[in-house]
Amino acid sequence: MSNSRFIPFVAGICLSLMAAGTTFAASFKVGDRVFIPLYSENLLDDGYADGIIQRINADGTVNIKLSDVVNGEDKTMYGTCSPSGASEQIMTAPTARAKEVVNDVPTDKILPWTIGQFQYVERENLSTTLQRWLGSGMAITPNSLDIADRRARELDLPRLRVVIAIAKLQVESTGGNGFPVPASRALHGAAKMLDDVAALVQSHPNAVSDAAAILAKTAPPHSKDLLVEAIVHIAQLTQKQLAQLASDYPDPMKVEGYTPAQLIAIYAGYYRMMTANDTQPYENAKVAYFSDKVAQAILSGHWPKW
């Protein structure tokens, strides 16, 4: 494999290697097993390669004989690491690219195997937490999200920390602590949660716009951007819970445990989120427009329509 073929092979690495090149370059030697990160903003698409250094070149680059290459699309969420506590290790299977040689690899693109392996497993653990929350949300507690935030901070993933903050707001708002709760209970903290999420996404208007396109079904149902996925998840969850409340109480003026003002506040929070805290239009309108429509519907005894 030529150097020109290697460049796209490592393109798109998004994680800072924390000065790996300067820290470890001097210690690399022929025969060392090394880790090549092939990371994605969507952790589920993370990949990697590993191999053995065959030669150290005069310019400081190295030639590596690959032992394995794992592309993100070739693995499942649980398929690359063993959940065994401190002894977690990447589990690999032979690939077609094994035994190829890549030449002139910059040392700032590689890590010692043990360090890279640990880093990769930490990203996999973080991915697992987020995917569980985006799915059923089962067993996701504020404490588990605190651990996820620590991992994201240590891995230098600031955008993922926003996703985790949104997840924590949602989990804490329901009081479920990892277990599902009925809509009648889950929505009690929804208005504040939605307002807080709106404040978090205000500085990410493109993610909000992409989420709006998914909700409008003018874009594919899933995004590779986990922040977009988080916004869609909160929106769909809120819609589902309000629909359940409407099914239980056909008249929004007579909902047990909720005043009309509280229901209106939930809807207003939803539209604040979808307008990036009222900084951009959603469906060509701002929050006041939607809040007025919601109030008119609820006060006339009808549930608002999305």
Side-chain angles (χ1 to χ4, degrees):
M1 183 185 296
S2 68
N3 186 42
S4 62
R5 291 177 61 194
F6 179 74
I7 291 173
F9 180 61
V10 297
I13 294 174
C14 67
L15 174 67
S16 166
L17 296 183
M18 297 172 288
T22 56
T23 303
F24 298 109
S27 64
F28 286 129
K29 60 185 183 296
V30 171
D32 281 352
R33 186 182 185 186
V34 295
F35 180 96
I36 306 171
L38 303 172
Y39 293 157
S40 166
E41 185 172 351
N42 181 351
L43 301 184
L44 199 60
D45 292 332
D46 272 359
Y48 69 92
D50 76 276
I52 304 297
I53 293 179
Q54 300 291 295
R55 177 179 174 178
I56 297 177
N57 302 311
D59 62 0
T61 63
V62 296
N63 298 355
I64 301 172
K65 184 175 184 180
L66 299 178
S67 302
D68 201 7
V69 179
V70 174
N71 294 314
E73 61 269 22
D74 295 332
K75 68 183 179 67
T76 63
M77 182 162 61
Y78 305 104
T80 56
C81 62
S82 172
S84 55
S87 63
E88 284 181 339
Q89 292 186 351
I90 294 174
M91 309 289 287
T92 64
T95 66
R97 303 189 68 171
K99 310 306 180 186
E100 289 186 6
V101 175
V102 289
N103 297 315
D104 307 321
V105 181
T107 52
D108 63 355
K109 302 299 182 186
I110 62 178
L111 288 167
W113 169 252
T114 53
I115 291 173
Q117 176 182 240
F118 173 80
Q119 186 183 84
Y120 184 85
V121 169
E122 285 289 276
R123 288 174 66 97
E124 286 284 278
N125 288 331
L126 178 54
S127 175
T128 297
T129 299
L130 292 175
Q131 293 300 326
R132 282 179 179 165
W133 174 70
L134 288 167
S136 67
M138 285 292 288
I140 300 301
T141 65
N143 182 62
S144 67
L145 290 166
D146 285 338
I147 294 170
D149 183 65
R150 183 203 71 208
R151 286 182 170 131
R153 183 183 70 250
E154 292 171 350
L155 292 167
D156 191 24
L157 297 171
R159 192 176 181 87
L160 265 294
R161 295 190 70 190
V162 178
V163 176
I164 295 163
I166 290 172
K168 188 174 179 182
L169 285 170
Q170 186 273 319
V171 170
E172 289 182 331
S173 75
T174 68
N177 285 323
F179 298 95
V181 296
S184 58
R185 175 181 165 190
L187 286 168
H188 275 295
K192 183 179 185 308
M193 178 269 291
L194 289 164
D195 282 349
D196 290 343
V197 171
L200 283 174
V201 301
Q202 180 176 338
S203 57
H204 302 279
N206 291 338
V208 176
S209 296
D210 290 346
I214 291 174
L215 293 167
K217 299 184 179 177
T218 59
H222 294 288
S223 170
K224 286 187 175 293
D225 185 342
L226 287 173
L227 181 53
V228 174
E229 289 282 283
I231 297 167
V232 170
H233 181 64
I234 293 290
Q236 291 178 334
L237 194 58
T238 303
Q239 290 181 359
K240 179 181 177 182
Q241 290 170 339
L242 285 168
Q244 182 59 57
L245 211 59
S247 176
D248 295 339
Y249 300 95
D251 185 345
M253 295 291 289
K254 300 177 181 178
V255 179
E256 184 178 346
Y258 292 85
T259 66
Q262 288 172 323
L263 295 176
I264 292 169
I266 294 170
Y267 281 93
Y270 175 94
Y271 289 112
R272 263 189 283 277
M273 178 178 73
M274 297 311 304
T275 59
N277 211 20
D278 217 13
T279 61
Q280 64 182 21
Y282 172 64
E283 297 181 352
N284 299 314
K286 289 200 167 185
V287 174
Y289 169 80
F290 293 110
S291 295
D292 287 345
K293 284 190 66 176
V294 165
Q296 289 172 19
I298 288 177
L299 295 175
S300 65
H302 301 288
W303 284 95
K305 295 187 180 190
W306 298 104

